[in-house]
Structure formats: C-alpha cells, structure tokens
Amino acid sequence: FSVKVYVKLNENSPRILCVTNRLRNSELIDPVSQWRGPSGNILSENSSVKISPTGTLVLRHFTADQSGVYTCSLVYKLTAEEPAKKLVMKYFIYAYSDPNYYYEFTVQYHAAPCNSIYNISFEKTLLQLLSKLVAELSCEVTLIKSECHHVKMQRAGLQNEIFFTFSVASLDQGKSNTPCQQSTCDTSERLSKARILIENFFKHQAEITRKSSDPLPEIYYIEGTLQMVWIDRCYPGYGMNPVSHPDCPDCC
C-alpha cells in the first residue's frame, strides 16, 4: 500500500517507518529491510540519507529532486519455524514550500474620452509613479489590466472611467525556479510597507482633489474605488491542489 509524505524544502523529513502499526507492536524475527529511491537505486547512508538499524528512514536537507516514490521492503518471521514473510510499502514523498503572495489592486479614474491619447500617457505616468514609490523596497508594480468604459452616473449622465488592475510583488521572489531559503527573503514586511505607501498615495490624491478650488482635471482618481486583495502564488514548478493533497492543502 502507499502513503503520502510531505517534506518542507531544505528541512529533514519525518521518520518514515518500514513497518505497519500492527507489526511495529509485534516481535519480528530476523527482520531485514531495504529502501529504494525514486530512481530504483538501493539507498544507503550518506549526508542526505539516514537509515536506522530497524529500517526507519530520514531524508535530510530535502531538495526538490529528492521527491518521488520510495519503496521499502521488509522480510521477517513471526516465529522461527514459519517461512519468511515480505511486506512492501510505497511512499510518495513530496517536496513543498510555503506559498509566496502578492497584492492585487483595482482603482478607477475619471478619464478623457476612451480613444484619447491622454489616457495612454496618463497610464504610463501613473505606473512610473507607483513603481518609483516601491522601488526602494525591492518591489515591483505590474499592470494587469487597463480598461476604459462609459459609465452612466445617477442624475449625471455618462462619463468615461478607466479601470486599472495592477499587482505589487517582491522582486526577489517568483523570478527564479527555486524558492529563496535565506531569512532576507521574507518579504512580508517589505510588501506590507509597499501596500501602505500605495494606499497613502491614493488617499493623498483624493485629498488634493477634495480640497482643490480649481476645476477638476480631465483625469483624476475617484475617491473610494481603491480595492486590494492578497493572492497566494507558488514558484514555477510548484502548485496548490487541496483535492490531491488534502493533508497539505496550503502547500506549494
């Protein structure tokens, strides 16, 4: 029979037994165990593999390429007179990491006519301002979607609005094919600061518009439209699947 085991990247696996719970509590005569790795090779002790005299396996400093099917065979007797029995156990061992995340913002602006070149120019300027705002935090702003629509307002007729969707992510995560393992790669604090800077940027824009005695410009932020969601993401080659992995539903 088979068992799923989840091992966090660069950490040690749990103790993986070459025996069932029933046999674990029984006296076994002349037990002989043997482990085979994902490539079918017989495992022996080394810097990344530890096997106890009773056949318990521990994988050290687990890496993605150690993932795969591990098979343990145990030959034993329950009494000295009876013939030997053989037990085969198959372990599906998965490397996992905690998910990375990014923020996704949506915001609306009163706009020039939808076919106007001024909207395109404003879009570039806005992205440059936001990018500069978070650059020192090693974060990046990426435009996901920009759409201009005609919106019918209550008792105000039609007006043009641009709907922006953009993400704010850490520059040092998601760019490589392997998760960063250093403590400096914990980007929660930097992303949180970037989120606050962006929220304050739009609050300031709303205050300027509200306090200004001049006529409103053609393109301006519509107060109260800024929305933000937290989105989990995995590194390339990793994914989340709570159906296939109910024991580790939030693992990458």
Side-chain angles (χ1 to χ4, degrees):
F1 56 95
S2 60
V3 177
K4 291 181 179 179
V5 178
Y6 302 90
V7 185
K8 194 166 187 177
L9 282 167
N10 293 311
E11 295 189 5
N12 294 345
S13 74
R15 296 168 66 249
I16 304 170
L17 306 180
C18 187
V19 68
T20 62
N21 281 333
R22 182 178 64 82
L23 291 178
R24 190 180 181 189
N25 297 318
S26 303
E27 288 188 354
L28 305 181
I29 297 174
D30 298 329
V32 178
S33 59
Q34 185 180 79
W35 281 95
R36 290 184 180 273
S39 61
N41 58 306
I42 296 173
L43 297 183
S44 56
E45 290 249 1
N46 57 43
S47 60
S48 60
V49 175
K50 180 181 178 183
I51 302 174
S52 75
T54 57
T56 298
L57 173 69
V58 175
L59 300 168
R60 303 181 210 179
H61 314 298
F62 199 70
T63 58
D65 57 8
Q66 288 178 281
S67 298
V69 178
Y70 287 73
T71 303
C72 176
S73 59
L74 173 67
V75 178
Y76 65 94
K77 293 181 181 181
L78 292 175
T79 65
E81 294 78 21
E82 71 176 23
K85 295 183 177 182
K86 185 176 183 180
L87 168 74
V88 176
M89 297 182 72
K90 186 181 292 185
Y91 289 90
F92 291 85
I93 303 185
Y94 297 91
Y96 80 90
S97 69
D98 293 325
N100 182 17
Y101 70 94
Y102 65 93
Y103 290 117
E104 186 173 288
F105 291 86
T106 56
V107 65
Q108 290 166 237
Y109 271 79
H110 185 280
C114 285
N115 58 355
S116 171
I117 193 171
Y118 295 114
N119 290 337
I120 298 172
S121 176
F122 175 79
E123 176 186 305
K124 291 179 180 178
T125 302
L126 178 62
L127 287 175
Q128 287 172 355
L129 287 170
L130 295 174
S131 296
K132 189 176 180 180
L133 201 64
V134 301
E136 289 188 3
L137 295 168
S138 294
C139 293
E140 66 177 348
V141 174
T142 303
L143 180 67
I144 298 173
K145 189 166 56 174
S146 172
E147 297 178 342
C148 185
H149 295 281
H150 303 296
V151 180
K152 182 184 180 301
M153 308 301 293
Q154 290 183 352
R155 296 183 296 276
L158 286 172
Q159 70 178 30
N160 305 304
E161 290 187 13
I162 304 177
F163 293 71
F164 290 112
T165 302
F166 61 91
S167 66
V168 179
S170 169
L171 276 170
D172 58 1
Q173 293 194 354
K175 291 293 185 183
S176 64
N177 288 330
T178 56
C180 184
Q181 298 302 323
Q182 304 166 13
S183 59
T184 55
C185 295
D186 181 8
T187 61
S188 299
E189 186 176 347
R190 286 188 288 112
L191 274 173
S192 179
K193 289 179 179 178
R195 174 180 57 81
I196 292 169
L197 285 173
I198 287 173
E199 288 174 342
N200 288 338
F201 171 84
F202 287 103
K203 283 180 185 176
H204 185 59
Q205 285 211 358
E207 288 173 4
I208 292 173
T209 303
R210 199 184 318 125
K211 294 177 180 178
S212 176
S213 57
D214 297 328
L216 288 173
E218 191 169 27
I219 302 176
Y220 62 87
Y221 166 62
I222 301 174
E223 186 174 358
T225 61
L226 181 68
Q227 302 290 328
M228 189 264 318
V229 292
W230 166 318
I231 298 178
D232 282 328
R233 66 173 177 183
C234 295
Y235 296 91
Y238 294 78
M240 289 174 151
N241 192 327
V243 176
S244 298
H245 303 286
D247 294 332
C248 206
D250 298 321
C251 298
C252 287

